[in-house]
Amino acid sequence: MAKPVILTVDDDPAVLRAVARDLRSQYGADYRILRTSSGKEALEVLAELQDRGTPVALILSDQRMPGMDGVALLSEAMTIFPDAKRALLTAYADTSAAIIAINASKVHYYLLKPWDPPEDKLYPVIDDLLSDWQANYRPGYDGIRIVGVRWSPQSHALKDFLARNQVPYTFLDVETSDEARGILDREETAQHHLPLVVLPDGKRLHAPDVAELARNVEGFQVDAASDFYDLAIVGGGPAGLAAAVYGASEGLRTVLIEQEAPGGQAGTSSRIENYLGFPTGISGSDLARRAVSQARKFGVEILTPRQVQSLVVEGPYRHLTMADGSRITSHTMMLSMGVSWRRLPAEGVDPLTGRGVYYGAATTEAMGCANQEVYIVGAGNSAGQGAMHFARYASRVVMLVRGSNLGAKMSQYLVDQINDVPQIDVMLNHEVTGCIGSDHLEGLRILNNATGEEHEVATNYLFVFIGAAPRTDWLGSVVRRDGRGFILTGTDLSTDDLTSWPIERNPFMLETNVPGVFSAGDVRHDSVKRVASAVGEGSVAVHFMHRHLASL
């Protein structure tokens, strides 16, 4: 594969040479640095790179240029390379234009002239942008290839797992890809042995489950290095990752156990725009990637995909038993399993799950939605972010909302954005009553709750964002929960919940009825369902873990 390109644009020859020099000095080993002196020339170069199949990682453009300014150029460039990072180089007087560019033209960042020294004012920003781009870069056929059927739940599970863990792959549909059919002819792989996974080293996996795939892909740790830790965390959403970072950075030997992918439901959000410190917004997957890198820097072991089966308490020890029978023991524990999407109560939904019906954002299916009509069920922020994401690909996105007000459960900034996107239609007082199709979704039955009328629509894609079911059944009677399964902590624990409390002090904030076992995030009773609050709870709990450990 050719080196990815960094393109810099400026009509001032001296500035252009200086920018290119600094970029080449820092990034020339891994990227090809190109420069052009006008917006028109830049668009011609980008079109040529597109024709050659050369990836573009970053476009850095000056704002004030004759003929076409930087904002206009970056807006046009987005149509050619939509995944490339776009940054504006401006003078102090042009910062208002930069802000407009961020809001209206989807520019990712702006830098002020002069940028000397580049080690302080240029490279940290470019490093961050390139890191984000690399995390989502799909290098084509040089990476993992999955050969399967478009409407296969097994293929979807593998794609979703790799995508959520930010592992590049290419999917080859046997119904449309000549390469896929050629691979199957050479492998003599029967249809019922699909999906076939071809690894970069040539190894083949026939119809693997997610666990087998993880064991064969570099970068995953499935088995713990030890059987004892100071802190064991179950669930790698924002709360669990925050506890991991703060626990390990303060000297606790920490292991994090995640069933699917770090990031939890927040990790599937296409765009989070109200998280503090990210004025241009950040995708859930990027936020999770940064948190995982931070946790690993402090020595956290992240095990995925691993499923916890039970919890046993013996004196100061808390034992977690995995689905394969292995055991991990710790003195303190964080329960941050998050919640699952609630099953859609519609006729015919189960056979079509993974065959056109998907729970959560399922961004792996976005490219298949090109020029399609997509339906979304839900009215929370996740549903709104999903609608905005799929509107980039689909010809029409229809949001089905049971209530009469979109803003009842959704942040106002998302409501405003949805109202400004012509491809998104919001149908209030509507719900899905049935899913139609044989081997894949072909249509929906929709009920208008206001009139009682029911009608059918044709579609191949339904994404469900409803309800919140906590993943706590495996706790049994060890940890007290409310009537819906959410974990009780701190002052929410009643006297009856603490009849077996073995020590003199009262439970700490975020501590369960078992000393040393804490809970944070969406799985906790009466929690605030926001990423920032989950991060806060996860970090605060570590303070009380230290106090518990000091008492042992």
Side-chain angles (χ1 to χ4, degrees):
M1 294 287 291
K3 283 184 181 181
V5 166
I6 296 176
L7 176 65
T8 181
V9 189
D10 201 304
D11 66 313
D12 186 325
V15 173
L16 186 61
R17 285 194 300 270
V19 174
R21 177 201 64 216
D22 288 342
L23 291 175
R24 190 171 290 111
S25 172
Q26 184 74 1
Y27 306 105
D30 300 312
Y31 296 87
R32 182 183 174 195
I33 312 301
L34 298 181
R35 56 184 182 178
T36 64
S37 58
S38 70
K40 180 182 177 181
E41 183 185 355
L43 292 177
E44 291 172 352
V45 169
L46 290 172
E48 183 178 347
L49 293 171
Q50 183 187 48
D51 290 340
R52 293 179 179 179
T54 303
V56 174
L58 171 69
I59 306 167
L60 176 61
S61 174
D62 184 42
Q63 166 58 10
R64 292 193 180 185
M65 297 186 297
M68 177 181 287
D69 63 22
V71 172
L73 165 62
L74 294 177
S75 296
E76 289 287 331
M78 184 170 60
T79 66
I80 305 174
F81 284 96
D83 296 324
K85 295 298 178 181
R86 298 174 296 279
L88 201 64
L89 191 61
T90 71
Y92 181 78
D94 294 328
T95 52
S96 59
I99 297 298
I100 293 172
I102 288 174
N103 292 329
S105 303
K106 307 302 181 185
V107 172
H108 296 101
Y109 212 94
Y110 72 90
L111 299 106
L112 295 177
K113 299 178 182 179
W115 60 90
D116 289 326
E119 291 79 8
D120 294 334
K121 297 184 178 181
L122 179 66
Y123 297 153
V125 173
I126 302 300
D127 286 347
D128 207 30
L129 292 172
L130 293 177
S131 179
D132 281 354
W133 181 82
Q134 281 285 358
N136 295 288
Y137 171 48
R138 300 296 179 262
Y141 301 137
D142 289 350
I144 296 171
R145 291 177 289 177
I146 301 175
V147 182
V149 179
R150 175 186 179 189
W151 301 115
S152 162
Q154 293 79 16
S155 294
H156 171 72
L158 298 181
K159 292 189 297 178
D160 192 57
F161 174 75
L162 291 175
R164 291 188 61 190
N165 284 280
Q166 303 191 18
V167 177
Y169 73 92
T170 296
F171 178 67
L172 304 174
D173 186 355
V174 297
E175 296 179 355
T176 60
S177 169
D178 291 336
E179 182 179 1
R181 287 189 286 268
I183 291 174
L184 295 185
D185 288 342
R186 293 189 295 272
E187 292 291 318
E188 299 181 355
T189 304
Q191 185 81 2
H192 63 274
H193 287 149
L194 294 179
L196 169 69
V197 177
V198 183
L199 300 176
D201 62 2
K203 183 177 180 180
R204 267 63 169 163
L205 305 177
H206 297 276
D209 59 16
V210 167
E212 181 184 356
L213 177 63
R215 291 183 185 277
N216 284 275
V217 175
E218 185 178 356
F220 287 103
Q221 181 179 352
V222 179
D223 300 314
S226 174
D227 57 4
F228 181 81
Y229 296 84
D230 299 314
L231 168 60
I233 302 168
V234 185
L241 287 168
V245 168
Y246 278 86
S249 67
E250 294 174 11
L252 301 182
R253 189 175 185 189
T254 303
V255 62
L256 186 150
I257 305 156
E258 169 54 44
Q259 183 173 339
E260 296 171 355
Q265 280 193 4
T268 68
S269 295
S270 56
R271 204 75 186 161
I272 302 171
E273 297 196 51
N274 58 355
Y275 190 70
L276 187 67
F278 294 90
T280 63
I282 185 170
S283 71
S285 60
D286 284 343
L287 186 62
R289 175 187 57 79
R290 295 168 188 241
V292 167
S293 298
Q294 198 172 14
R296 285 182 170 148
K297 180 183 76 172
F298 291 119
V300 177
E301 291 183 39
I302 300 178
L303 311 183
T304 183
R306 292 305 301 265
Q307 184 173 358
V308 180
Q309 196 170 58
S310 65
L311 167 63
V312 174
V313 177
E314 292 181 348
Y317 301 103
R318 286 84 183 92
H319 307 285
L320 291 172
T321 301
M322 307 292 109
D324 64 356
S326 61
R327 175 180 278 196
I328 291 175
T329 300
S330 65
H331 278 319
T332 61
M333 187 172 295
M334 168 61 77
L335 302 177
S336 50
M337 297 83 71
V339 293
S340 301
W341 297 115
R342 185 165 57 85
R343 176 189 171 277
L344 181 68
E347 182 181 355
V349 69
D350 288 343
L352 296 174
T353 299
R355 302 176 185 273
V357 178
Y358 305 99
Y359 288 85
T363 53
T364 55
E365 307 300 327
M367 295 300 293
C369 297
N371 303 316
Q372 299 276 329
E373 284 199 359
V374 170
Y375 283 75
I376 289 177
V377 177
N381 279 4
S382 294
Q385 290 158 355
M388 293 294 296
H389 177 71
F390 288 114
R392 296 173 55 191
Y393 303 91
S395 60
R396 180 174 179 243
V397 176
V398 181
M399 295 189 69
L400 302 175
V401 179
R402 290 185 62 183
S404 58
N405 180 9
L406 184 61
K409 298 180 179 179
M410 188 181 296
S411 296
Q412 187 60 43
Y413 81 88
L414 264 178
V415 176
D416 295 339
Q417 288 182 358
I418 288 169
N419 290 334
D420 288 339
V421 178
Q423 301 100 295
I424 301 178
D425 293 333
V426 180
M427 298 178 65
L428 302 175
N429 301 305
H430 282 75
E431 61 180 294
V432 175
T433 58
C435 297
I436 304 166
S438 51
D439 64 330
H440 68 275
L441 181 69
E442 298 174 7
L444 303 171
R445 284 197 303 275
I446 298 175
L447 173 66
N448 184 331
N449 290 319
T451 65
E453 295 179 355
E454 191 174 60
H455 66 282
E456 293 185 1
V457 296
T459 185
N460 296 136
Y461 291 96
L462 174 67
F463 298 90
V464 182
F465 300 83
I466 59 172
R471 306 173 178 179
T472 57
D473 289 346
W474 60 274
L475 291 170
S477 60
V478 177
V479 174
R480 297 292 185 267
R481 293 166 287 158
D482 65 17
R484 295 184 298 159
F486 291 91
I487 296 173
L488 297 168
T489 60
T491 56
D492 291 325
L493 291 162
S494 68
T495 303
D496 291 340
D497 294 324
L498 298 172
T499 54
S500 300
W501 183 256
I503 54 181
E504 292 184 3
R505 66 169 176 83
N506 292 325
F508 292 128
M509 181 173 66
L510 303 174
E511 193 171 23
T512 70
N513 62 294
V514 179
V517 177
F518 295 78
S519 183
D522 289 359
V523 75
R524 190 179 65 81
H525 168 78
D526 204 26
S527 64
V528 178
K529 305 299 188 287
R530 288 291 185 269
V531 175
S533 61
V535 170
E537 290 179 9
S539 57
V540 166
V542 173
H543 167 73
F544 296 108
M545 292 175 185
H546 281 292
R547 292 177 62 179
H548 173 75
L549 289 169
S551 69
L552 295 181

